[in-house]
Amino acid sequence: MEDVNKLEAFQAKIDREEKIEPKDWMPADYRKHLIRQISQHAHSEVVGMQPEGQWISRAPSLRAKVVLLAKVQDEAGHGLYLYSAAESLSISRDELLEQLHTEKAKYSSIFNYPTLTWADMGAVGWLVDGAAIVNQVSLQRTSYGPYSRGMVRICKEESFHQRQGYEVISDMALGSPEQKQMAQDALNRMWWPSLMMFGPHDADSPNTGNATKWKIKRETNDELRQKFIDKTVQQAEVIGLTIPDPDLKWNEERGHYDFGKIDWSELKEVIHGCGPCNKQRLNHHRKAHEEGAWVREAANAYAQKQRDKKKVA
Ligand code: FAQ
């Protein structure tokens, strides 16, 4: 009976648009759902540093290098905000990383594609950050306080990322015929994987039901995907690039673009470890984590020393 009352009070709080905070009572499934989503979001930010990190040493100018470096550092920061939000739900950072390394936890499918040319740095910022913002703007209103507040800050930085990418792709698209071809090729390769970032169709999305009831998700996978398409098509037109979808067409009645069929078998394969770079990305993360063990040990030893000092004083 007590739990039924608590559950009703919890749902009423959500329905009143009040945030749930770490010390509030919450059903175990809400906690589990949030840990899953927030940690996967954090892993995506951190693994997402790899495809861009590879280009820092190959950026075509000092300005481009500095800007890309700043962007990749921001992504590490986003990972940290998100890991902290997940930790506020009583799970340790070690457990979260263990789940990533044992492939129990996922990260966004998009980061399992290679970045082959400098134009891909444009496509990642323009499309991948562009898609991430559409999703994250919506998540600013998520019901869990620490996640919502983290999103507000992340969105501010993410808009800078999207502009960085659009600048790179615009410069290429409006440059020499060879550069324009590179920009078009990057768009051709990244377009469909970017649409897959929003997850399966609503009808095939097992987590959407609870996520909507608990206001973790404020818009569904399909609604967000449509928003992203509608705003990105015009951006491609401005710089003279063609979206690689022959079925893309403005639908006056719906007030949205109609678009072609997404290859869901490709998303399934990538999610289940068989994308072009899955093994490479995870192995790199595991290796970096092992090599960083001494830093964690040193930081813990230092923190312990400070605690001991306080005790004596
Ligand atoms: N990739 O029932 P649903 C970024 C999984 S941040 C991999 O629809 P849900 C910044 C899903 O987890 C990008 N797995 O799931 C940046 C679930 O499996 P599970 C990350 C996917 O949670 C830019 C299963 O399929 N953003 O890019 C994908 O309701 C540039 C069934 O799916 C976030 O994480 C996928 N694409 O909706 C960094 C935002 N789609 O967990 C560097 C927060 C689905 O039951 C460079 N997350 N799955 O084993 C979300 O909004 C949601 O979790 C969705 C999925 C929309 C991703």
Side-chain angles (χ1 to χ4, degrees):
M1 191 62 200
E2 197 197 347
D3 267 7
V4 174
N5 290 342
K6 280 184 185 164
L7 197 58
E8 277 174 8
F10 167 81
Q11 189 64 48
K13 195 167 182 184
I14 287 181
D15 295 341
R16 288 196 303 272
E17 295 290 331
E18 286 173 28
K19 298 291 177 217
I20 303 298
E21 296 298 338
K23 288 186 177 160
D24 292 345
W25 184 89
M26 61 184 84
D29 284 347
Y30 176 81
R31 186 184 295 277
K32 201 168 140 203
H33 192 118
L34 278 172
I35 290 176
R36 176 192 67 83
Q37 177 167 328
I38 301 173
S39 68
Q40 295 188 164
H41 197 164
H43 299 325
S44 304
E45 294 282 357
V46 171
V47 176
M49 293 163 74
Q50 292 184 39
E52 290 178 300
Q54 285 170 257
W55 280 93
I56 293 171
S57 60
R58 290 181 281 170
S61 69
L62 183 59
R63 179 181 181 274
K65 189 196 281 282
V66 169
V67 175
L68 184 62
L69 189 62
K71 177 184 192 288
V72 174
Q73 282 176 338
D74 279 355
E75 276 142 17
H78 297 176
L80 293 181
Y81 308 153
L82 287 161
Y83 282 128
S84 299
E87 283 172 309
S88 71
L89 291 154
S90 301
I91 182 160
S92 71
R93 185 87 56 103
D94 284 347
E95 275 177 274
L96 295 171
L97 290 173
E98 172 75 14
Q99 290 177 357
L100 172 67
H101 292 157
T102 54
E103 298 177 50
K104 204 178 145 205
K106 300 181 169 73
Y107 57 89
S108 183
S109 50
I110 191 72
F111 302 118
N112 292 309
Y113 291 85
T115 43
L116 304 176
T117 70
W118 176 250
D120 288 10
M121 291 304 94
V124 169
W126 174 35
L127 302 175
V128 178
D129 284 280
I133 294 177
V134 169
N135 182 305
Q136 291 172 162
V137 162
S138 180
L139 284 172
Q140 289 181 118
R141 294 186 298 118
T142 194
S143 58
Y144 187 55
Y147 193 23
S148 159
R149 291 188 287 275
M151 282 299 113
V152 172
R153 183 151 177 192
I154 288 176
C155 280
K156 285 190 186 140
E157 293 171 351
E158 214 81 90
S159 352
F160 151 68
H161 295 178
Q162 195 270 352
R163 274 177 229 154
Q164 173 265 354
Y166 195 60
E167 183 185 85
V168 170
I169 204 94
S170 308
D171 284 351
M172 303 283 290
L174 303 170
S176 67
E178 290 81 4
Q179 286 174 320
K180 180 169 184 184
Q181 181 48 42
M182 279 167 80
Q184 183 63 52
D185 173 59
L187 172 58
N188 293 348
R189 284 181 289 104
M190 297 273 182
W191 176 251
W192 293 101
S194 299
L195 300 191
M196 292 175 199
M197 286 175 70
F198 296 94
H201 272 319
D202 295 348
D204 302 317
S205 162
N207 296 301
T208 291
N210 276 341
T212 308
K213 177 176 78 180
W214 291 326
K215 298 191 181 178
I216 292 174
K217 261 187 184 173
R218 305 307 305 246
E219 285 164 285
T220 68
N221 299 1
D222 285 331
E223 285 166 351
L224 293 169
R225 186 169 14 248
Q226 183 73 61
K227 262 193 186 169
F228 170 71
I229 292 171
D230 291 348
K231 75 175 211 179
T232 310
V233 172
Q234 283 156 20
Q235 294 167 356
E237 276 168 13
V238 169
I239 54 174
L241 295 183
T242 308
I243 303 277
D245 178 357
D247 297 322
L248 190 77
K249 208 168 152 241
W250 179 252
N251 182 326
E252 196 64 53
E253 216 173 288
R254 288 200 315 122
H256 292 293
Y257 280 94
D258 288 337
F259 54 96
K261 232 169 150 307
I262 294 173
D263 180 358
W264 295 115
S265 63
E266 179 178 326
L267 177 64
K268 265 193 198 138
E269 265 184 37
V270 178
I271 288 182
H272 292 113
C274 301
C277 300
N278 291 60
K279 287 198 169 53
Q280 182 187 330
R281 301 288 186 241
L282 260 184
N283 285 339
H284 183 88
H285 194 282
R286 288 187 187 110
K287 186 166 173 276
H289 187 68
E290 274 165 27
E291 287 174 0
W294 69 271
V295 180
R296 293 188 294 280
E297 277 162 28
N300 280 336
Y302 180 75
Q304 187 58 46
K305 235 180 177 174
Q306 299 302 309
R307 280 194 292 272
D308 292 347
K309 258 194 203 163
K310 260 193 196 152
K311 263 190 220 156
V312 174

